[in-house]
């Protein structure tokens, strides 16, 4: 695994990350990262890190359309209509 | 004809390294082919390290392309591998079933053909929001909508409950694109919200951490500032309750009568 990715994975897994103050400086001293990578991590600068890692610049995370599936919606409305019809006819029977 | 393969929609949570479950990881490791929708490009690199055949779904998004086509194509490419007899893993950031169309649809279509398909839950943006904002959706109740859907349909807002709007950056986009919409669209949203909330009602813009460096974004702003602020496609809007819950005396009396019998 890429060294930087492994570093991030281990950091993500660690309980110290959010509860204690992570001493990035001393951890990074033991890592064989280039100076720019160390700097990006120390500055907690994801954008710089992504550039250095040649990661995708733009990523889309939109996963749902604003409208439900047309087919499904039609099915539902038919169902609703029939239920309504049933209700109306029950009322009519009363 | 090939036998139908199998499929799992798995969630990897929000933060690199922190949220992936052992089960999700095992699905990835044991798949013949993986498809990936991540929300952070370093997360994408991380997942690609876990399996030699991870195909990103990012290429299906494009400017001036309806997301309905994007999702249809994503579903088709995944299904083609499953129907070719492979063991396939659909890897989605967060929870694969939370405000996400393709992961549900793929499972549904494979099952309809008699194939084996499951969904493996993950830690969603909402789960992180609950933790980071100290918000319990059960305290006052919680309504949540996709922001554009909220505008396109007549919805009833309960001002005594929390309101969460997802995909707020794309609010009011009738073309179902993947770019942020204009401040005019946000203004339309505001007009709807002003029917209930005052302009100075404090709302929160939230962005969970996806990497173990940096901080979550927790910006508390007056509702009226929503027009000007920077919204990303990964921003979620939280509108806290405006009014107190009103006790339903009639129902309580009715229940008391039952209990006293
Ligand atoms: C289509 S939904 C997918 C949600 C995802 N399935 C999950 O489990 O969180 C996309 C929306 O999720 C929310 N979202 C995604 N990433 C986020 C993050 N890092 N912080 C806060 N909200 C996020 C935003 O509202 C975004 O527009």
């Amino acid at each position: 695994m890429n060294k930087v990715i492994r570093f991030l994975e281990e950091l993500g897994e660690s309980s110290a990350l959010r509860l204690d103050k992570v001493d990035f400086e001393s951890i990074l001293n033991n890592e064989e990262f280039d100076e720019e990578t160390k700097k990006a991590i120390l500055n907690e600068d994801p954008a710089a890190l992504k550039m250095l890692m040649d990661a995708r610049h733009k990523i889309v995370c939109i996963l749902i359309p604003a409208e439900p599936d047309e087919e499904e919606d039609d099915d539902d409305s038919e169902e609703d209509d029939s239920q309504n019809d049933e209700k109306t006819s029950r009322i009519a029977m009363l | 004809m090939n036998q139908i393969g199998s499929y799992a929609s798995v969630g990897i949570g929000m933060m690199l390294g922190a949220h992936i479950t052992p089960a999700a990881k095992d699905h990835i490791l044991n798949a013949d082919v993986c498809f990936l929708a991540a929300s952070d490009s370093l997360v994408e690199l991380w997942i690609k390290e876990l399996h030699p055949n991870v195909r990103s779904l990012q290429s299906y998004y494009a400017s001036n392309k309806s997301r309905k086509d994007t999702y249809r194509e994503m579903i088709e490419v995944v299904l083609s591998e499953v129907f070719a007899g492979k063991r396939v893993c659909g890897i989605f950031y967060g929870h694969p079933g939370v405000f996400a169309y393709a992961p549900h649809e793929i499972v549904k279509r494979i099952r309809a053909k008699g194939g084996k398909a499951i969904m493996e839950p993950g830690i969603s943006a909402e789960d992180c929001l609950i933790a980071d904002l100290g918000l319990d959706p059960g305290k006052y109740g919680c309504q949540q909508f996709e922001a554009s859907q909220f505008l396109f349909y007549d919805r009833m807002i309960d001002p005594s409950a929390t309101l969460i709007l997802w995909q707020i950056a794309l609010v009011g986009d009738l073309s179902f694109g993947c770019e942020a919409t204009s401040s005019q669209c946000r203004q339309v949203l505001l007009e709807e919200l002003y029917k209930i909330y005052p302009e100075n009602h404090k709302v929160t813009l939230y962005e969970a951490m996806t990497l173990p460096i940096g901080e979550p974004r927790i910006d508390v702003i007056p509702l009226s500032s929503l027009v000007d602020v920077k919204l990303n496609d990964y921003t979620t809007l939280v509108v806290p309750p405006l009014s107190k819950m009103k006790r339903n005396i009639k129902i309580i009396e009715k229940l008391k009568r039952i209990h006293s019998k």
Side-chain angles (χ1 to χ4, degrees):
Chain A
M1 188 178 276
N2 173 290
K3 286 181 295 191
V4 179
I5 296 291
R6 184 188 298 280
F7 170 80
L8 292 173
E9 185 186 49
E10 283 173 4
L11 198 57
E13 286 169 352
S14 102
S15 63
L17 174 67
R18 303 196 65 204
L19 205 53
D20 310 312
K21 192 153 171 47
V22 178
D23 185 357
F24 282 115
E25 210 143 359
S26 65
I27 304 177
L28 287 172
N29 276 339
N30 299 325
E31 299 283 348
E32 299 155 7
F33 299 155
D34 59 61
E35 284 311 310
E36 293 211 60
T37 303
K38 283 187 182 175
K39 207 169 119 194
I41 295 172
L42 273 176
N43 293 342
E44 304 205 35
D45 182 351
L49 198 56
K50 282 171 193 175
M51 285 250 279
L52 293 165
M53 299 282 296
D54 222 5
R56 213 183 273 283
H57 172 61
K58 187 176 158 48
I59 196 154
V60 182
C61 70
I62 298 295
L63 289 177
I64 194 163
E67 284 179 343
D69 210 355
E70 275 151 30
E71 271 173 39
E72 244 180 39
D73 217 26
D74 287 351
D75 289 354
D76 287 355
S77 62
E78 267 167 34
E79 228 171 68
D80 284 347
D81 285 352
S82 62
Q83 277 175 0
N84 283 345
D85 283 354
E86 208 177 47
K87 267 189 212 149
T88 331
S89 61
R90 276 200 208 138
I91 294 168
M93 273 160 61
L94 292 174
Chain B
M1 211 181 83
N2 271 317
Q3 244 199 322
I4 302 180
S6 65
Y7 174 77
S9 273
V10 309
I12 51 168
M14 302 304 294
M15 192 199 289
L16 195 161
H19 298 161
I20 192 168
T21 62
K25 202 167 194 172
D26 204 52
H27 278 292
I28 296 171
L29 297 178
N30 286 300
D32 298 319
V33 48
C34 299
F35 291 92
L36 170 65
S39 69
D40 186 295
S41 50
L42 291 177
V43 170
E44 192 168 273
L45 294 185
W46 168 53
I47 296 294
K48 283 182 174 174
E49 296 267 5
L50 298 181
H51 191 282
N53 192 1
V54 175
R55 305 186 205 161
S56 171
L57 292 169
Q58 283 298 311
S59 56
Y60 295 99
Y61 292 102
S63 311
N64 303 321
K65 175 177 175 182
S66 166
R67 281 190 341 266
K68 290 187 176 180
D69 292 330
T70 300
Y71 301 143
R72 187 177 40 74
E73 290 165 9
M74 287 178 175
I75 292 166
E76 277 166 11
V77 67
V78 174
L79 289 181
S80 70
E81 293 291 349
V82 178
F83 293 140
K86 305 252 177 66
R87 183 182 176 108
V88 181
C89 185
I91 308 167
F92 297 86
Y93 79 92
H95 187 308
V98 171
F99 286 78
Y101 173 67
H104 280 296
E105 194 61 24
I106 296 166
V107 168
K108 204 169 88 183
R109 291 205 200 164
I110 296 167
R111 286 181 182 166
K113 295 270 187 218
K116 178 93 177 140
I118 59 118
M119 182 175 278
E120 198 66 58
I123 293 182
S124 71
E126 187 194 6
D127 295 315
C128 298
L129 183 154
I130 288 167
D132 285 342
L133 303 188
L135 181 158
D136 185 341
K139 192 167 181 188
Y140 305 111
C142 180
Q143 286 181 299
Q144 31 187 322
F145 303 98
E146 197 283 333
S148 296
Q149 188 192 76
F150 176 73
L151 286 185
F152 298 164
Y153 297 84
D154 252 337
R155 314 305 302 239
M156 302 248 286
I157 304 186
D158 175 352
S160 64
T162 304
L163 172 69
I164 300 179
L165 294 180
W166 298 68
Q167 301 194 157
I168 186 73
L170 278 74
V171 70
D173 181 10
L174 285 165
S175 67
F176 303 102
C178 57
E179 313 284 346
T181 47
S182 66
S183 54
Q184 282 157 301
C185 291
R186 292 191 207 172
Q187 194 59 50
V188 174
L189 172 70
L190 282 184
E191 281 159 25
E192 275 313 293
L193 292 174
Y194 288 160
K195 289 180 182 166
I196 293 169
Y197 304 96
E199 291 186 18
N200 62 359
H201 190 59
K202 293 279 193 300
V203 298
T204 303
L205 299 171
Y206 175 72
E207 290 170 6
M209 290 165 75
T210 52
L211 297 176
I213 54 171
E215 293 290 329
R217 176 182 183 188
I218 302 175
D219 287 348
V220 180
I221 57 163
L223 192 52
S224 57
S225 300
L226 193 65
V227 213
D228 313 309
V229 287
K230 170 136 179 68
L231 296 179
N232 298 301
D233 63 355
Y234 47 89
T235 313
T236 300
L237 177 72
V238 183
V239 184
L242 173 70
S243 50
K244 290 218 161 110
M245 296 186 289
K246 235 172 84 190
R247 279 179 93 78
N248 190 331
I249 305 292
K250 260 193 197 163
I251 297 283
I252 292 170
E253 288 306 322
K254 199 181 210 171
L255 290 168
K256 274 186 186 159
R257 283 198 295 277
I258 293 172
H259 288 302
S260 64
K261 270 181 199 162

